[in-house]
Amino acid sequence: MPPEPILQISGLTKRFGNLIAVNDVSVRLEPGTIVGLIGPNGAGKTTLFNAITGLHTPDAGRVLFKGTDITGMLSHKICKLGMSRTFQVVKAFSILTVEDTVRVGAYNRHGEKEIQAKVDEVIAFCELEDFRRQKCGDLSLALLRRVELARAVATEPELLLLDEAGAGLTGTELDGLMAILTRLNREKGVTLCVVEHVMKMVMGLCQRIVVLDAGEVIAEGTPAEISDNPKVIEAYLGKRAVR
Amino acid sequence: MKGKNWSALVVVVVMLTVALSGCVTPSAPAQPAAPKLPESIVIGSLEPLTGAHAVFGTEAKIGTEIAVDHINAAGGIKSLNGLKLKLVTEDAGENADSAKLGAESIISKHHPVAILGLYISRMTIAASEVTEREKVILVADALVDSVTTSGRQYLFRPAPKASQHGASAVQFVVDSAKKAGLDFTKVAILNEDSSFGRSNATGAMDAALNNGLTIVYQKEYPYDITDASSIVADIAAAKADFVVHCPYFTDAILFAKTFRETGNIPKFIVGMGASGYTDPESIQALGETAEYYANTFSYNPAKKTPQNEKFVADFKAKTGHIPTEAAGMNYYAAWVLKEALELSGQMFPTDPLNPDNLRQAFLKLDLTSGPAVETYPGDHIAFTPTGDNPDAKAVVLQVIKGEPRIVWPLEDAEVEAIFPRPDATR
Amino acid sequence: MNTKQRTIKMLPLLVGLVVALIVPLIVGKNQYNMVLVTTVLFYGVLATAWNIIGGMAGQLDLAAWAYLGLGAFTSGTLLLRWNVTPWLGMILGGLVAAGFAALVGYPLFRFGVKEVWYALSSAALVEVLRVAFLMWDEVGGPVERYLPFHRASWYHMRFASYVPYYYIVLGLLLIALFVNYRISRSKLGYYLLALGESEDAAEVIGVDARACKLKALMIYAFIVGATGAVYACLFGFIHPSFFNTAQSTEVAILGIIGGMGIVYGPLLAAIILVSGREFMRANLGSSLESLYLAIYAVVLIVIALFRPQGIAPLFRKAYDWLLSRVVGERYAA
Amino acid sequence: MENIIQNLLNGALMGCIYALIALGLSIVFGVMNVVNFAHGEFVMLSMYFTFAAGAYWVLDAVTTPLITFPLLFLFGWLTYYLLIDRTLRYRYVTQIAVTVGLAILLRAIAQMIWQAQPRALPYSMIQGNIQIGGINILTSRLIAAAVSVVAIFLVYLFLMKTWPGRAIRAASDDLDAASLAGVNYRQTYALSFGLGTALTALAGGLLMTFQQVDPTMGLRFGLLSWCVLALAGLGSVPGLLISGVIVGGAEALAMSVWDPRSRLLAVYLIFILVLWLRPRGLFGRK
């Protein structure tokens, strides 16, 4: 008997007009794991994230988070329940400083009294000490991704969805990020679900990988199983060949 | 963000100081010393020179300017040793707050004895709070009835009020129909939805009922209306004999065009309250469509008196067209003011410019001749304690061959009215 | 932060307050100058209140005079019908405006009307109210309703001079600034700034965007509504022309030019632009008619194009520089 | 009843012109995502140009677009390069501030040149009326509506069939992809903005056959065209026509059966309801 899943998606479907972006997707996430979600461009990964976190209302299917049905629930309520995310295209609060951005996340669970301590803790955890008083609008992309991670971590999620957190990062930056994510998983027990193109990160971090193509799950398994899966190879190479 | 927020308030302070120092004008002594007279008597023209009402304000200002020139050329205020008038002007903007600001500005800068203005009633009442407080005589050219009913002490209005206009318009049609042997019984009353439009319409409605007419259609519409065809169609459907209309300005053009275009021209269309059908600008904009339209007026440009002919000639030389109502009203208003100053000089030789003395002089005025009466619609100028002249009469102008001509009251008529409209379709 | 630093930072506030308090002593004799400074402060209140919904929450609200008009009509009608003092009318006017804001804001935010569409629908709201009040003859109608004329009456909030009005508006301004300041330091303020930048990003980290926007809109409407009651007394009448689209847009413009989300920014912009405008009106008005409008527009375009973050940062830099010169780098903010 | 049909018909004909005005806005907003709050002022400017051409060169209002169309195109094109291009990298708030500034500027200029009083041209050659049964159709409205419909159709063809038109549509779909495919976005944007502005010249000419112009007119047409656009939704040219007719009809109906003042109320209520209940508009694809 496997443990109660932290997130259970069943039959999730999302259409935009005639386009079916996500088609009948069912996925289970076990608590405390790191799961990778991969697939070619346009496979529906971001749409799936949006449907889970309440930015889109799914057309069919259900999302259960810790046993609660959160289908169509507003994002901020889902966040209160313990799930947060980052974005593929960084959505920074450019006029806020790094510290204040983290503060916005920290208000999720803390009142005015403890807030400063929490902010300090998260900033230290995400190694953003040097930048805390800088405005987000002035930061580099790599740092912005880190700040996005930090503000999500500040909400104290049990499940964190990361949408291409590694995109556009250099090797060193990537290593730093992976270290933080690993610590987040190990020390705080946060379940992670990462959408990623950077294979180094997927293979290095994830215990299990789900592959999406054209809105459907085409494979699921350990990194080793996935890299040998002919369907996955076809999905990737096939797409590339067309290009 | 900490703390820094407040730091820039220093700059606020600096700016405030700068802004204020820019405003401060050296203040002149508040009241002229009793026996010693100033070099000239300052009077103000406060009119809407910008914004939606600028068209009227500009005319009014020119009328006042010519009047002051004429008064000074005629020897100034004789009872005050021929003291000359000095005119100062100010823009009153287009709404009540700018009017109030304008009043404050002109009073604090120039300390005028009296102010002429502000054409738009809403602006006039707003500004009159200032003139009351500062005790400056306001000679109003705004026609809404309520201008004089809000208890102002220092406000006088020589011109006929709006309800007198409405009544005159109806009376003119009734007289003309009787003369032409026609039986006009059904009237449609239209007005734009300002207090001015409503005051006019109220006067017209009372007059219509007093004359035993049936009001078959009555509508209030916004002055910025862009399509009059539905109202015109409704008037046609109501089978009105004639239309009494208080338009603002744009809408008069629109309605005239629509009456013609739809082919639903009633037997007569008469405007009330001056603005609209017979203004030179409207006639120009409408071309031949303006023909036969009639309109009540607070001023009679055709009055055959030497003073009036002089004014019309000078005005025409300056602007190229005959004086509009706004110009005429201010011209005779300035002369009325001049007469009041003369009287004050006689009644209170020691302190003629004291506002309370000048007010007494206004209330004592009883004119039946002179330049003021020669340009006045009516032949008697005297004020009630509320500041109105009950003997003021609106005249009716009709566009005949592209020129506005006086057709009513019959004793003042320049030419005979063309009645009913020869192009009427029903 | 030590005491000395704190003193330096509070200094501008104190100096500003002192100057604001003694302004009537300097120009109080001249009623025109008094009404000018009152007008400047009045726009300052509106723009400062706007900062909550527009600057912080990033919702480009163009309906300031809708709430102002509601406040004016509430207070004015109460005074005319039941002789309720405008002092109470202020609060009730603010409440009516805030209630109306909730009525309108809830479905707008519920259905996700944002950005340009929010701006347009708020602009439309002003027009809707203007027409509705024109048609509503019992309360509005085309004829101005004059408040009882009194030379001076505290009960009726009518005074023979602008000095009391100046202090009332100054009081409102201080309240608006204080509310702004408190919000900017609170959870609500950080939430508003965050959702103003990106609603999605704020939502997923626990910000209830709808509720926050609604709160911001209601606080703004309350302040503006209360100001409307004073406005009615200042001008002595109520009329549907209070619902003015152009003036509402101007309030938003002051907020944008001042610097979105910066507490003192809109006030700065109001002080500079409104006094500049009135100065131009007074000096160019009657001779060059519309020139001042054109100049105003060009200034607006230039600032918006070349200082899109507003003028407040410039002033902060100038103040920092000044501080570093006067008291040395150490205490500079 | 006849009266209501009569009024609805008048409103529907007027609505075709509204659609033409909104078409310009739709191109600018739909393609470039530029929020133009000065669109109504462009209409006002067009009407003044028409007035000037009519008054000084004694042209009939309907023929003036021959001159004003290229003029307004040039004006829009220049406006793009001078102002709009710089606003693209900022948030929409800046765009609104800049275009509101432009609107105030145009209003002030119009006031300086033509004064505040309304201007109208003498009776146009297309004026008159046609009687069908009890229904009275105004020739000027009929021709104006017909020209509007034809113009909308031509613009539709231009967008669908010609290379510049396709470039505009491509840019509206995906700016990055269009840039890759060799579309110079600046030129395309300038072209769209010029076209969007120039279309108001046509509308201005038609409006001046039966209406007058004053400097404060822009606001009304601005909000009106945004309303038509909201109702239609982005990207549907025929949808604009239907929405224009709906708005025009609602206006006329409200005026005749309710109260002439309620015209604005009807328009704005439609606008607000659409925003609340169907933000995509009736025919929108986004």
Side-chain angles (χ1 to χ4, degrees):
Chain A
M1 185 69 196
E4 167 91 350
I6 186 160
L7 185 75
Q8 179 154 21
I9 303 164
S10 40
L12 198 77
T13 302
K14 176 71 197 174
R15 293 185 211 95
F16 295 106
N18 298 324
L19 179 82
I20 302 178
V22 174
N23 190 13
D24 195 23
V25 167
S26 299
V27 177
R28 268 172 76 97
L29 299 188
E30 312 299 338
T33 57
I34 302 183
V35 179
L37 184 63
I38 65 170
N41 275 332
K45 294 161 300 196
T46 298
T47 309
L48 182 62
F49 267 23
N50 287 346
I52 297 170
T53 53
L55 295 182
H56 293 332
T57 314
D59 294 302
R62 291 211 313 158
V63 183
L64 291 182
F65 177 61
K66 297 193 291 182
T68 317
D69 190 343
I70 60 163
T71 324
M73 199 184 261
L74 291 172
S75 299
H76 66 94
K77 287 192 181 145
I78 296 175
C79 180
K80 281 270 179 316
L81 288 176
M83 185 200 304
S84 188
R85 67 171 287 183
T86 67
F87 293 89
Q88 180 187 1
V89 180
V90 176
K91 298 190 179 194
F93 304 143
S94 1
I95 59 168
L96 292 186
T97 59
V98 170
E99 188 178 353
D100 290 338
T101 302
V102 173
R103 190 186 308 269
V104 174
Y107 272 120
N108 192 42
R109 303 233 185 274
H110 297 278
E112 301 283 356
K113 275 188 186 145
E114 325 99 86
I115 196 89
Q116 195 57 45
K118 180 67 194 172
V119 169
D120 293 342
E121 179 210 319
V122 172
I123 284 181
F125 187 87
C126 293
E127 296 162 13
L128 283 165
E129 290 289 6
D130 298 343
F131 313 102
R132 64 186 299 161
R133 293 200 196 281
Q134 287 199 24
K135 285 226 165 119
C136 291
D138 304 332
L139 297 181
S140 69
L141 179 73
L143 279 169
L144 282 180
R145 291 211 182 276
R146 184 86 61 84
V147 174
E148 267 209 356
L149 177 67
R151 77 186 181 200
V153 168
T155 67
E156 300 183 6
E158 289 168 56
L159 170 62
L160 186 53
L161 311 181
L162 299 169
D163 200 346
E164 302 203 13
L169 267 53
T170 64
T172 349
E173 288 164 352
L174 204 61
D175 289 338
L177 178 67
M178 283 168 66
I180 294 172
L181 291 181
T182 312
R183 272 196 290 133
L184 193 60
N185 182 247
R186 301 245 170 88
E187 292 172 18
K188 304 204 167 188
V190 177
T191 312
L192 297 175
C193 176
V194 297
V195 160
E196 203 49 75
H197 277 303
V198 183
M199 280 305 146
K200 179 182 165 195
M201 192 164 147
V202 181
M203 297 301 168
L205 271 179
C206 303
Q207 290 126 14
R208 214 161 59 85
I209 292 175
V210 178
V211 187
L212 270 185
D213 185 31
E216 297 182 41
V217 177
I218 57 165
E220 205 175 336
T222 63
E225 287 164 13
I226 290 300
S227 52
D228 294 338
N229 190 317
K231 266 167 124 184
V232 177
I233 293 163
E234 192 205 311
Y236 272 84
L237 290 184
K239 284 277 171 188
R240 287 218 182 107
V242 171
R243 287 188 153 191
Chain B
M1 291 178 73
K2 294 237 162 163
K4 277 182 167 186
N5 278 353
W6 297 110
S7 58
L9 267 172
V10 147
V11 187
V12 174
V13 173
V14 174
M15 285 316 299
L16 249 179
T17 325
V18 170
L20 293 176
S21 58
C23 303
V24 177
T25 44
S27 54
Q31 294 293 333
K36 196 171 168 284
L37 286 170
E39 287 166 21
S40 59
I41 300 172
V42 180
I43 66 167
S45 167
L46 179 61
E47 294 283 353
L49 301 174
T50 55
H53 316 298
V55 57
F56 309 114
T58 314
E59 293 279 330
K61 187 180 134 199
I62 297 171
T64 315
E65 280 167 359
I66 295 177
V68 169
D69 288 348
H70 285 181
I71 290 166
N72 287 341
I77 311 298
K78 295 188 187 80
S79 69
L80 302 174
N81 308 327
L83 210 57
K84 298 277 192 288
L85 298 184
K86 181 168 171 261
L87 183 68
V88 292
T89 60
E90 183 86 28
D91 177 18
E94 61 176 338
N95 47 40
D97 32 341
S98 59
K100 210 164 178 181
L101 214 58
E104 298 287 3
S105 166
I106 196 170
I107 292 173
S108 70
K109 271 196 282 195
H110 305 291
H111 307 283
V113 174
I115 291 174
L116 285 82
L118 293 60
Y119 199 84
I120 304 299
S121 305
R122 170 163 27 99
M123 294 166 61
T124 308
I125 298 188
S128 71
E129 285 212 352
V130 179
T131 53
E132 283 295 299
R133 188 194 66 219
E134 298 288 331
K135 295 194 176 178
V136 174
I137 298 286
L138 180 62
V139 188
D141 56 349
L143 305 182
V144 170
D145 291 24
S146 61
V147 167
T148 49
T149 54
S150 38
R152 300 292 193 259
Q153 296 284 306
Y154 301 92
L155 188 151
F156 295 94
R157 170 169 58 193
K161 56 187 180 185
S163 58
Q164 287 172 326
H165 277 262
S168 303
V170 171
Q171 199 56 50
F172 157 64
V173 174
V174 169
D175 288 356
S176 304
K178 201 177 281 170
K179 202 171 153 204
L182 292 168
D183 189 24
F184 273 27
T185 54
K186 286 182 271 185
V187 55
I189 297 174
L190 272 182
N191 65 285
E192 54 97 9
D193 67 349
S194 71
S195 50
F196 180 64
R198 192 175 269 189
S199 286
N200 271 290
T202 312
M205 268 185 266
D206 290 345
L209 296 176
N210 289 341
N211 280 293
L213 301 173
T214 317
I215 300 169
V216 290
Y217 183 81
Q218 200 263 320
K219 205 96 196 189
E220 205 166 68
Y221 65 86
Y223 76 91
D224 59 354
I225 187 170
T226 52
D227 184 6
S229 52
S230 69
I231 292 179
V232 167
D234 287 344
I235 292 174
K239 299 195 172 25
D241 292 316
F242 70 108
V243 176
V244 186
H245 184 188
C246 180
Y248 173 65
F249 191 97
T250 39
D251 43 331
I253 297 172
L254 185 71
F255 269 94
K257 282 189 166 188
T258 313
F259 275 125
R260 173 164 172 197
E261 210 183 349
T262 55
N264 286 324
I265 304 177
K267 294 196 193 78
F268 207 80
I269 302 161
V270 59
M272 47 188 167
S275 46
Y277 289 122
T278 55
D279 250 30
E281 296 284 347
S282 316
I283 295 173
Q284 195 194 344
L286 282 168
E288 49 171 6
T289 309
E291 204 67 5
Y292 315 126
Y293 276 93
N295 217 144
T296 63
F297 232 52
S298 305
Y299 162 68
N300 180 355
K303 198 160 180 173
K304 284 190 195 56
T305 57
Q307 190 66 35
N308 193 43
E309 278 158 6
K310 186 178 170 203
F311 169 50
V312 172
D314 283 6
F315 193 90
K316 233 175 171 170
K318 203 163 182 175
T319 63
H321 57 78
I322 62 162
T324 54
E325 180 185 51
M329 279 196 288
N330 279 281
Y331 185 82
Y332 62 68
W335 275 102
V336 170
L337 173 63
K338 185 251 175 193
E339 299 290 356
L341 285 166
E342 291 281 7
L343 191 57
S344 186
Q346 290 158 15
M347 289 164 68
F348 311 98
T350 51
D351 192 9
L353 301 184
N354 180 306
D356 291 302
N357 292 347
L358 190 54
R359 177 170 178 268
Q360 287 303 322
F362 256 98
L363 290 172
K364 282 267 154 52
L365 274 186
D366 188 10
L367 301 170
T368 48
S369 65
V373 176
E374 285 182 26
T375 45
Y376 193 75
D379 37 28
H380 181 219
I381 302 174
F383 291 97
T384 62
T386 61
D388 264 322
N389 177 13
D391 293 330
K393 276 183 199 151
V395 299
V396 176
L397 290 172
Q398 187 177 30
V399 181
I400 298 172
K401 297 203 176 72
E403 287 291 332
R405 298 301 187 87
I406 296 292
V407 294
W408 191 87
L410 299 173
E411 61 270 22
D412 285 334
E414 216 184 337
V415 291
E416 196 171 331
I418 299 181
F419 192 95
R421 296 175 66 102
D423 61 351
T425 48
R426 282 170 297 112
Chain C
M1 192 184 277
N2 62 32
T3 341
K4 191 165 179 187
Q5 270 176 313
R6 186 159 293 164
T7 316
I8 286 172
K9 276 165 187 162
M10 292 305 282
L11 193 68
L13 173 67
L14 288 175
V15 175
L17 191 61
V18 168
V19 170
L21 285 173
I22 61 170
V23 155
L25 299 181
I26 308 168
V27 297
K29 281 260 172 59
N30 186 320
Q31 289 297 322
Y32 174 61
N33 291 341
M34 265 331 286
V35 74
L36 269 187
V37 287
T38 312
T39 307
V40 170
L41 287 194
F42 172 77
Y43 273 92
V45 178
L46 298 186
T48 305
W50 183 88
N51 188 49
I52 299 169
I53 182 75
M56 293 190 200
Q59 307 301 310
L60 194 72
D61 188 282
L62 300 177
W65 287 69
Y67 303 119
L68 185 127
L70 284 171
F73 265 93
T74 307
S75 160
T77 307
L78 287 172
L79 178 61
L80 284 169
R81 293 259 171 110
W82 297 286
N83 201 24
V84 176
T85 171
W87 297 98
L88 185 59
M90 256 166 91
I91 294 164
L92 295 173
L95 287 176
V96 167
F100 188 80
L103 214 64
V104 174
Y106 182 79
L108 278 180
F109 298 140
R110 167 72 185 77
F111 291 107
V113 175
K114 51 181 106 164
E115 300 189 343
V116 59
W117 300 109
Y118 178 81
L120 285 164
S121 65
S122 62
L125 181 68
V126 183
E127 287 291 302
V128 165
L129 283 177
R130 186 177 64 83
V131 176
F133 271 86
L134 265 177
M135 290 168 64
W136 188 12
D137 261 327
E138 287 75 28
V139 173
V143 181
E144 295 81 10
R145 284 166 192 270
Y146 296 97
L147 304 184
F149 181 71
H150 293 274
R151 225 160 251 291
S153 157
W154 274 94
Y155 186 84
H156 296 93
M157 210 193 272
R158 302 304 299 275
F159 309 105
S161 148
Y162 286 101
V163 175
Y165 289 118
Y166 173 87
Y167 283 115
I168 295 171
V169 178
L170 182 64
L172 284 169
L173 178 66
L174 291 177
I175 291 171
L177 281 171
F178 180 71
V179 168
N180 249 278
Y181 177 76
R182 283 309 296 264
I183 290 178
S184 77
R185 293 302 164 91
S186 73
K187 179 172 168 178
L188 180 61
Y190 287 108
Y191 272 20
L192 290 176
L193 285 171
L195 73 87
E197 290 280 323
S198 167
E199 228 173 291
D200 287 349
E203 278 268 342
V204 300
I205 55 170
V207 176
D208 184 351
R210 288 177 194 176
C212 289
K213 284 195 281 188
L214 199 61
K215 269 186 214 161
L217 182 65
M218 287 172 70
I219 296 171
Y220 151 72
F222 182 86
I223 298 175
V224 175
T227 315
V230 180
Y231 185 82
C233 294
L234 188 58
F235 287 102
F237 68 92
I238 47 176
H239 188 258
S241 62
F242 284 6
F243 300 98
N244 184 317
T245 315
Q247 281 171 308
S248 301
T249 312
E250 199 176 339
V251 172
I253 288 171
L254 292 177
I256 297 170
I257 300 246
M260 304 264 286
I262 302 169
V263 172
Y264 58 85
L267 176 60
L268 266 182
I271 290 172
I272 296 170
L273 286 177
V274 177
S275 51
R277 185 192 63 188
E278 294 304 333
F279 180 79
M280 279 194 283
R281 194 210 295 278
N283 289 288
L284 301 178
S286 48
S287 48
L288 284 165
E289 305 216 339
S290 316
L291 190 62
Y292 80 84
L293 254 185
I295 294 173
Y296 189 63
V298 170
V299 169
L300 182 69
I301 293 174
V302 168
I303 294 181
L305 273 183
F306 298 102
R307 287 273 157 242
Q309 59 284 81
I311 53 175
L314 281 182
F315 279 84
R316 181 185 293 177
K317 263 187 212 151
Y319 178 64
D320 286 353
W321 179 84
L322 201 71
L323 267 191
S324 68
R325 277 301 166 94
V326 177
V327 292
E329 212 59 60
R330 206 155 59 88
Y331 298 115
Chain D
M1 189 60 213
E2 203 168 76
N3 209 1
I4 289 178
I5 296 172
Q6 168 84 60
N7 286 325
L8 274 178
L9 189 75
N10 282 339
L13 293 178
M14 196 74 184
C16 295
I17 307 176
Y18 294 166
L20 181 63
I21 297 172
L23 178 61
L25 192 66
S26 167
I27 292 174
V28 168
F29 185 61
V31 173
M32 308 157 61
N33 219 2
V34 165
V35 181
N36 182 8
F37 269 48
H39 193 69
E41 272 67 23
F42 290 172
V43 178
M44 174 205 66
L45 203 64
S46 302
M47 292 174 78
Y48 270 118
F49 282 176
T50 302
F51 167 75
Y56 305 133
W57 298 323
V58 206
L59 286 176
D60 194 280
V62 269
T63 62
T64 53
L66 292 175
I67 298 165
T68 55
F69 193 88
L71 213 59
L72 261 287
F73 182 85
L74 192 71
F75 174 75
W77 192 80
L78 280 175
T79 305
Y80 176 77
Y81 278 111
L82 285 177
L83 298 179
I84 308 297
D85 191 51
R86 290 168 210 267
T87 67
L88 293 180
R89 59 199 141 110
Y90 303 128
R91 294 199 300 172
Y92 75 102
V93 170
T94 305
Q95 284 179 358
I96 292 184
V98 169
T99 51
V100 163
L102 182 62
I104 299 175
L105 183 63
L106 292 179
R107 213 178 302 155
I109 290 174
Q111 226 167 75
M112 277 192 266
I113 302 178
W114 290 288
Q115 271 89 50
Q117 68 260 46
R119 305 287 189 156
L121 286 173
Y123 221 57
S124 163
M125 65 184 179
I126 61 166
Q127 252 158 341
N129 63 80
I130 305 166
Q131 294 281 347
I132 302 173
I135 306 291
N136 185 339
I137 302 172
L138 302 176
T139 325
S140 61
R141 309 290 160 90
L142 191 65
I143 293 180
V147 173
S148 298
V149 173
V150 171
I152 290 168
F153 182 68
L154 286 179
V155 171
Y156 184 64
L157 284 185
F158 169 79
L159 289 176
M160 296 314 247
K161 304 284 179 196
T162 64
W163 191 84
R166 288 207 190 116
I168 288 177
R169 284 197 303 134
S172 95
D173 283 343
D174 185 344
L175 185 57
D176 295 331
S179 311
L180 286 176
V183 174
N184 177 336
Y185 88 90
R186 273 225 167 110
Q187 280 174 14
T188 311
Y189 275 16
L191 174 70
S192 323
F193 206 83
L195 181 64
T197 312
L199 284 173
T200 63
L202 201 52
L206 295 170
L207 284 168
M208 282 303 278
T209 60
F210 55 87
Q211 222 182 301
Q212 71 289 344
V213 54
D214 69 75
T216 57
M217 199 147 237
L219 181 75
R220 201 156 59 240
F221 281 115
L223 275 174
L224 194 74
S225 43
W226 277 103
C227 173
V228 173
L229 186 59
L231 186 60
L234 289 178
S236 164
V237 173
L240 278 179
L241 200 55
I242 300 171
S243 306
V245 169
I246 293 175
V247 169
E251 223 182 63
L253 203 62
M255 273 177 74
S256 63
V257 303
W258 187 10
D259 186 308
R261 282 170 293 204
S262 67
R263 182 181 74 112
L264 283 171
L265 226 49
V267 173
Y268 295 136
L269 284 182
I270 292 179
F271 179 62
I272 287 177
L273 282 180
V274 165
L275 286 187
W276 283 357
L277 304 177
R278 202 176 161 82
R280 262 188 310 128
L282 296 178
F283 313 98
R285 63 184 162 85
K286 280 187 186 169

